[in-house]
Each structure stands twice: as structure tokens, then as C-alpha cells.
């Protein structure tokens, strides 16, 4: 249940203020001494118009400032001595919007024009003309309106700055936590993988000293341990500094395919099209797609063969990895972290990804990465 305070929409509030000021000005003008005839009609219209102009004070504060000032001059010339409330509200709105210098200039001009208008259109001594001008716009009220607008502008600016500071602090804390997790994960995994790597290297060394043939699985474990250590180190460096990119890219795909072959999977690599320079993010993403697809094939697909195709096109790089595993069209691809990670990488580059079973059996991963910005 929403227990928040009820808030009037800004547009509705503008209408309420405009109508209220128009009614106040009109009522004050007609209830006090005022001229007769057409001058009275003109003055009444200008009083109402000055108030109604405030409807647009948020959208066009300078235009409203000018209109309310002209209305004040007009109804004063008609013979009405009413405080220019509409102009004071317009000053508040213009200063709040940040137009301080222009508001000061217009207000100074109005303070000069009002006494001159009274001298021209009012009969009697100059003292009475200046008194009438003060009744229409007093400097004290003008300063108060200016100060109120500036105070609210500063308060809103401080609130915006505080909000930005909170967001930056939250992002910094998230980055620090991300780095902390990465370091812990790196330390934990590196320790375990180092044990595997050392043990496999000792076994290979002992076997070679004895003159025995080293088995392919043992060599694969040794190579995988070295690669995993290098990957963890590169990943931690990337998390420490966003400008330091992991070294794996398209040029490392042949090594990746060769490593999969050593694990017993008949993998082939085909590169089509004219090779071209690619953005670093595209190359890294392509490598990760091939790596994740081949890893899933070797671990889960019960496949014997896998084909990797990389195609260079003028506007895109295509990556396709197919296997002959046990997946069938009736099997829905499990939404694992690897598949989600691939999809996030491709989406971040504005590309497209398909990961689904083939028509008879096997699985395909197809990605299209735009390269319009390649240089």
C-alpha cells in the first residue's frame, strides 16, 4: 500500500498558481481606485493576462518574464495601481531556472520604465507618479522574489549533486567488492590449479626420466593447468584495470582448437573472408564464444567432432561452432552461466547469438558481431 504523500502534478500546480494570481490581480484592481470606460477594460484584461501567462513559467521563463513585465507597464498606464505579483512570480521562476543575469537586466529596465510610464500617463506632480510606480513594483518585493528563486535553485543543485555523489559512491563500492571477490576467487582457484599443474608436471618429468611414453591425457592436464593459471592471472589484471584487456583474441583461436584436439575431440578450424583489423572487444568476444562452445562440447555433448568457422565480412564478424553431440531438436538448451555469458557479451556489442540443437543431432552456436567501427 502506498503511504507516500499525495503530490499535485506540476502542470496542475502551474494552472492553479496562474488562475489564483490572475484572480488576485483582477480583484485587487477592480476593488480599489480604477479608471472607467475602455481604459478600465484594457487594464482588467492586462491584469488577467499577466496572471494567466504564468501557466508557461516552467517551459518559457524568460518569455513569461517579459510578458508579465509588459502587462505591468500596460495596466499601470491604464490607471491601475496594483502590485505586479505576476512579475514577481515570473522573477522567481526565471531565477530558479538559472537566468539570473537576464532577470536582473529586465528588472532594472522595468524599474526605470514604470516611473516614466506614470509620468507620461498620470496627471499631477512627479512625486505622485513615483509613488504609483512603487505601488506597482517595490524593490523589496523584487529582491525577495529573486532571493527565493536563487535559494531554491541552489537547494535543487545541491540535491542533484548529492544524488550523483550517492550513485558514484555506490558504483565505487560495487567495483571494490567486485575486485575483492575476484582476488579471493583468484587466490582460491590458483592454489588448487597450481597443485594440479605441479603434480602433472612432476608426473610428466618422472615418466620422461624413466624413458616411458607420456600419455596424451596427462599432457592435456599439464597444458590445461598452465592455461588456467594464465587465464586467472589475465582475468584478475583485467578486473584491476579496465584498460588492461585479457590477451586472448582471434589470433589465439588456433591454439584453442589445437588444445581441444589434444583432449580427444576432432576439432577443425575454417577461416573465411579477407582478414581485417577488428575492435579489441570484438576479438575478445569471438575468442570467448569459441572457447565456451568447445568447452561445453568437450564436457557435456558426448561429441566426437567439432567445427569452428570464422567469417570476415565488411560489416560483421561471424562465429559458428557445431558439434555432433547427443543434443536433439527436442532438447531445450540449458540456460547455464556459459551460455548467459556469451549472450551478454554479444548483446553488449549490438550483435546476435543463436545457440540451439541441430536438425538431427548435435549443437550449434552462431554469433554475428558488428564491426562498423573497426579501423
Amino acid at each position: 500500500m502506498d503511504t507516500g504523500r499525495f503530490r499535485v502534478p506540476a502542470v496542475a500546480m502551474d494552472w492553479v498558481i496562474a488562475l489564483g494570481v490572475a484572480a488576485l490581480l483582477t480583484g485587487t484592481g477592480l476593488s480599489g481606485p480604477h479608471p472607467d470606460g475602455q481604459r478600465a477594460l484594457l487594464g482588467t484584461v492586462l491584469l488577467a493576462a499577466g496572471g494567466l501567462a504564468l501557466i508557461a513559467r516552467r517551459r518559457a521563463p524568460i518569455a513569461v518574464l517579459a510578458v508579465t513585465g509588459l502587462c505591468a507597464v500596460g495596466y499601470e498606464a491604464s490607471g491601475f495601481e496594483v502590485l505586479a505579483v505576476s512579475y514577481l512570480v515570473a522573477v522567481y521562476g526565471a531565477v530558479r531556472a538559472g537566468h539570473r543575469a537576464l532577470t536582473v537586466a529586465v528588472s532594472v529596465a522595468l524599474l526605470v520604465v514604470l516611473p516614466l510610464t506614470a509620468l507620461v500617463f498620470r496627471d499631477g506632480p512627479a512625486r505622485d507618479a513615483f509613488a504609483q510606480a512603487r505601488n506597482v513594483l517595490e524593490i523589496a518585493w523584487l529582491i525577495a522574489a529573486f532571493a527565493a528563486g536563487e535559494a531554491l535553485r541552489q537547494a535543487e543543485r545541491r540535491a542533484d549533486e548529492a544524488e550523483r555523489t550517492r550513485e558514484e559512491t555506490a558504483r565505487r563500492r560495487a567495483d571494490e567488492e567486485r575486485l575483492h571477490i575476484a582476488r579471493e576467487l583468484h587466490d582460491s582457484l590458483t592454489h588448487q590449479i597450481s597443485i594440479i599443474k605441479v603434480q602433472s608436471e612432476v608426473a610428466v618429468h618422472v615418466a620422461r626420466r624413466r624413458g616411458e611414453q607420456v600419455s596424451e591425457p596427462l599432457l592435456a592436464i599439464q597444458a590445461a593447468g598452465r592455461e588456467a593459471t594464465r587465464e586467472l592471472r589475465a582475468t584478475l589484471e583485467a578486473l584491476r584495470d579496465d584498460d588492461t584487456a585479457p590477451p586472448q583474441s582471434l589470433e589465439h583461436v588456433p591454439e584453442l582448437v589445437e588444445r581441444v584436439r589434444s583432449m580427444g575431440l576432432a576439432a577443425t578450424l575454417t577461416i573465411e573472408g579477407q582478414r581485417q583489423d577488428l575492435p579489441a572487444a570484438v576479438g575478445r568476444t569471438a575468442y570467448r564464444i569459441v572457447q565456451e562452445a568447445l568447452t561445453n562440447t568437450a564436457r557435456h555433448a558426448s561429441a566426437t567432432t567439432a567445427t569452428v568457422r570464422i567469417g570476415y565480412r565488411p560489416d560483421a564478424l561471424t562465429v559458428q561452432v557445431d558439434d555432433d553431440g547427443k543434443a536433439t531438436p527436442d532438447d531445450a538448451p540449458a540456460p547455464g552461466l556459459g551460455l548467459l555469458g556469451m549472450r551478454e557479451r554479444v548483446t553488449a556489442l549490438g550483435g546476435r547469438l543463436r545457440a540451439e540443437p541441430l536438425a538431427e543431432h548435435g549443437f550449434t552456436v552462431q554469433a554475428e558481431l558488428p564491426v562498423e567501427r573497426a579501423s
Side-chain angles (χ1 to χ4, degrees), residues 116-137:
L116 295 177
T117 302
L119 285 172
V120 172
F121 291 95
R122 183 183 178 91
D123 296 330
R127 183 176 59 184
D128 294 342
F130 281 102
Q132 181 186 10
R134 285 197 303 271
N135 290 335
V136 174
L137 184 62

Side-chain angles (χ1 to χ4, degrees), residues 25-105:
L25 291 174
T26 305
T28 303
L30 295 178
S31 62
H34 61 276
D36 298 327
Q38 293 192 359
R39 292 183 64 190
L41 178 60
L42 176 61
T44 303
V45 170
L46 291 174
L47 287 168
L52 294 176
L54 296 175
I55 295 172
R57 66 187 179 90
R58 296 179 192 269
R59 299 188 300 274
I62 297 302
V64 171
L65 188 72
V67 170
T68 54
L70 292 174
C71 288
V73 173
Y75 68 68
E76 185 200 29
S78 299
F80 286 88
E81 297 182 20
V82 179
L83 179 64
V85 177
S86 58
Y87 182 77
L88 295 175
V89 176
V91 167
Y92 163 83
V95 173
R96 181 180 176 184
H99 306 290
R100 292 174 294 179
L102 190 56
T103 303
V104 170

Side-chain angles (χ1 to χ4, degrees), residues 19 53 102 144 281 316 318:
L19 292 174
L102 190 56
T318 60

Side-chain angles (χ1 to χ4, degrees), residues 6-351:
F6 174 76
R7 295 194 176 189
V8 179
V11 176
M13 181 61 69
D14 289 343
W15 275 93
V16 171
I17 292 174
L19 292 174
V21 172
L24 174 65
L25 291 174
T26 305
T28 303
L30 295 178
S31 62
H34 61 276
D36 298 327
Q38 293 192 359
R39 292 183 64 190
L41 178 60
L42 176 61
T44 303
V45 170
L46 291 174
L47 287 168
L52 294 176
L54 296 175
I55 295 172
R57 66 187 179 90
R58 296 179 192 269
R59 299 188 300 274
I62 297 302
V64 171
L65 188 72
V67 170
T68 54
L70 292 174
C71 288
V73 173
Y75 68 68
E76 185 200 29
S78 299
F80 286 88
E81 297 182 20
V82 179
L83 179 64
V85 177
S86 58
Y87 182 77
L88 295 175
V89 176
V91 167
Y92 163 83
V95 173
R96 181 180 176 184
H99 306 290
R100 292 174 294 179
L102 190 56
T103 303
V104 170
V106 174
S107 298
V108 170
L110 189 61
L111 288 172
V112 173
V113 170
L114 286 174
L116 295 177
T117 302
L119 285 172
V120 172
F121 291 95
R122 183 183 178 91
D123 296 330
R127 183 176 59 184
D128 294 342
F130 281 102
Q132 181 186 10
R134 285 197 303 271
N135 290 335
V136 174
L137 184 62
E138 292 188 4
I139 295 180
W141 284 108
L142 187 60
I143 293 175
F146 191 99
E150 178 64 14
L152 188 56
R153 189 184 74 85
Q154 292 291 343
E156 290 174 342
R157 186 184 63 81
R158 287 193 296 270
D160 292 341
E161 184 65 27
E163 183 65 24
R164 285 194 299 269
T165 302
R166 282 195 296 270
E167 292 176 357
E168 291 173 359
T169 301
R171 281 197 299 269
R172 185 173 63 253
R173 288 178 178 173
D175 290 342
E176 291 173 355
E177 182 64 19
R178 173 168 162 258
L179 180 57
H180 176 69
I181 293 172
R183 285 172 173 165
E184 287 190 348
L185 184 62
H186 172 268
D187 294 342
S188 176
L189 290 180
T190 299
H191 175 71
Q192 302 298 330
I193 292 174
S194 296
I195 294 176
I196 297 173
K197 183 168 73 73
V198 170
Q199 294 290 339
S200 62
E201 289 178 348
V202 169
V204 170
H205 177 71
V206 171
R208 285 174 176 168
R209 286 194 58 183
R210 292 176 177 175
E212 300 174 354
Q213 183 178 3
V214 181
S215 63
E216 290 294 330
L218 187 57
L219 291 174
I221 292 173
Q222 183 187 40
R226 291 174 178 172
E227 179 64 18
T229 302
R230 186 171 69 88
E231 289 265 356
L232 284 170
R233 187 179 299 113
T235 301
L236 183 62
E237 290 174 356
L239 289 169
R240 282 175 176 164
D241 186 357
D242 289 338
D243 294 332
T244 303
Q248 294 80 12
S249 190
L250 277 178
E251 59 267 21
H252 298 92
V253 170
E255 301 175 9
L256 182 61
V257 173
E258 186 62 32
R259 194 158 58 245
V260 171
R261 286 198 195 103
S262 67
M263 299 171 62
L265 182 65
T268 60
L269 172 63
T270 303
I271 298 178
E272 303 170 343
Q274 183 67 35
R275 291 184 183 236
Q276 56 182 302
D277 293 334
L278 299 173
V282 173
R284 291 197 301 268
T285 299
Y287 176 87
R288 292 302 182 188
I289 290 172
V290 175
Q291 182 186 47
E292 185 63 33
L294 290 178
T295 299
N296 289 339
T297 296
R299 291 179 179 174
H300 310 300
S302 300
T304 57
T305 64
T307 59
V308 179
R309 294 185 179 87
I310 296 176
Y312 288 88
R313 298 197 329 225
D315 61 338
L317 178 76
T318 60
V319 179
Q320 182 172 342
V321 182
D322 299 337
D323 65 52
D324 64 347
K326 61 184 179 180
T328 64
D330 297 331
D331 299 330
L337 294 178
L339 182 58
L340 291 176
M342 281 193 289
R343 194 172 300 281
E344 288 176 356
R345 288 174 180 269
V346 173
T347 302
L349 295 177

